[in-house]
Amino acid sequence: MKQTAYVNGHFLPMESAMVHIEDRGFQFADGVYEVVACFNGNFLDMQPHLERLERCCAAINIPLPCPLERLAELVRQTWQKNPFPDAMIYIQVTRGVAPRAHLAPDNLVPTLIITSADLPKPSEAKLTSGAKAITLADFRWKHCEIKSIALLASVMGKQEANRQHADEAFWLDTEGHVLEGCSTNIFAAINGTLVTHPLDHQVLGGITRSMLIRVAREAGIKIEERPWCLDEPGLTETMLTSTTNAVLPVCVMDDKPVGKGIPGPMAGRLRALMLQNMDALRNA
Ligand code: PDD
């Protein structure tokens, strides 16, 4: 499919969709973004994604380029111009264009881009074997709750994971607690309870994280949001969540098996429940 991108009020062919070289996103990573999944034109949790974008813009003092209802409409239009059956919508807002200086002038017009692409999904092989991860000491900044486009640490973490033939790197705090992955939130099954790090400045409040907690709660699974470690007694499974993965079991950690080293029952059950929600959107 020939892709069309939305750029500052215009729909343009992807190859001519450009922003200025003095865009502050390009020069300072001065912006925030969202990734939303869409199934047959029905968006998964659009409102929470747009509300997170609004919060993140507010956190770095960028005015929203337009009201949320208008943004939702632009997202819909972008999908209609790129109607991938399972789509991944990317939304990026930067502070705008100005001569390069750290302090931005007042009243810049924010840059807004929106694209729609095929939703990447874990392969069947990955679902069967589970993903592999490594652990890294967290060297990111102290505002991970903001979905910033400054992703250099995440890029470096993914490179290191790839070098070690793994799919993801889990960030550990100085006490060895698992915070989150480079582009995912992380959960563990510990004595039958679903455990994940609480929301704070070290973790992005993933929309899929919220969905997994909701789905688990409805299924009667006990949930604890607390710091946890990979060597906790009773830990049988780890899994990651993100818009592009839904929930995916992680079965090898730093080259050692997690639990039995194969996808476990908690992840399997939760993935089936999440996929039901996505199928419902596909068939809506
Ligand atoms: N990444 N934590 C981090 C650091 C992330 O970058 C992401 C998402 C998540 C999961 O958030 P959500 O469930 O809302 O997708 C957690 C996106 C998908 C990306 O950068 O492509």
Side-chain angles (χ1 to χ4, degrees):
M1 191 182 304
K2 274 246 169 220
Q3 272 175 279
T4 300
Y6 174 88
V7 187
N8 291 331
H10 305 280
F11 285 101
L12 300 169
M14 189 61 108
E15 42 305 350
S16 48
M18 308 277 169
V19 293
H20 197 281
I21 61 162
E22 288 194 309
D23 191 280
R24 292 182 61 89
F26 182 57
Q27 295 193 328
F28 292 104
D30 188 358
V32 292
Y33 74 105
E34 273 303 323
V35 178
V36 189
C38 175
F39 302 98
N40 278 343
N42 298 309
F43 295 88
L44 181 61
D45 284 341
M46 167 97 97
Q47 195 58 23
H49 278 284
L50 295 187
E51 284 170 8
R52 183 172 66 184
L53 186 70
E54 185 176 38
R55 278 198 307 280
C56 290
C57 280
I60 61 170
N61 200 22
I62 292 181
L64 258 194
C66 55
L68 286 195
E69 304 82 78
R70 172 75 185 140
L71 195 52
E73 182 52 33
L74 291 172
V75 165
R76 267 184 228 107
Q77 287 177 12
T78 306
W79 179 79
Q80 280 159 4
K81 292 186 186 293
N82 307 267
F84 292 93
D86 289 0
M88 174 178 72
I89 309 295
Y90 180 78
I91 312 167
Q92 181 174 308
V93 179
T94 74
R95 197 174 303 276
V97 178
R100 187 183 178 283
H102 285 68
L103 183 63
D106 288 336
N107 305 323
L108 285 187
V109 179
T111 298
L112 171 62
I113 64 158
I114 310 173
T115 59
S116 164
D118 194 26
L119 178 70
K121 282 182 231 137
S123 65
E124 280 308 316
K126 192 107 307 164
L127 288 169
T128 308
S129 64
K132 294 182 186 173
I134 61 164
T135 53
L136 290 177
D138 190 14
F139 56 79
R140 302 171 302 162
W141 74 329
K142 295 191 175 69
H143 271 299
C144 298
E145 80 283 8
I146 299 174
K147 201 161 170 57
S148 160
I149 59 171
L151 291 173
L152 188 52
S154 308
V155 168
M156 291 169 71
K158 287 275 188 190
Q159 279 178 348
E160 183 54 23
N162 185 60
R163 199 185 63 78
Q164 297 187 36
H165 309 288
D167 307 290
E168 178 59 303
F170 289 6
W171 300 115
L172 303 184
D173 72 8
T174 49
E175 284 150 49
H177 300 125
V178 177
L179 300 169
E180 63 175 341
C182 294
S183 60
T184 56
N185 292 113
I186 312 298
F187 291 77
I190 303 177
N191 294 319
T193 298
L194 189 63
V195 182
T196 193
H197 197 278
L199 294 182
D200 63 12
H201 65 283
Q202 304 171 98
V203 173
L204 180 75
I207 306 301
T208 324
R209 176 188 184 279
S210 301
M211 184 180 175
L212 189 75
I213 290 174
R214 192 170 64 235
V215 159
R217 196 162 278 143
E218 283 164 11
I221 295 168
K222 196 169 159 230
I223 294 139
E224 282 177 12
E225 292 180 66
R226 62 161 176 88
W228 59 277
C229 293
L230 285 160
D231 60 0
E232 276 193 37
L235 187 152
T236 49
E237 296 178 47
T238 56
M239 60 200 88
L240 56 79
T241 61
S242 75
T243 296
T244 51
N245 286 291
V247 60
L248 179 67
V250 177
C251 301
V252 176
M253 182 73 54
D254 290 329
D255 267 334
K256 290 186 279 294
V258 179
K260 294 186 176 141
I262 51 168
M266 173 95 82
R269 186 170 168 212
L270 290 171
R271 186 170 171 85
L273 291 168
M274 300 258 285
L275 293 192
Q276 271 176 23
N277 278 270
M278 290 163 198
D279 278 340
L281 288 179
R282 273 188 201 102
N283 301 324

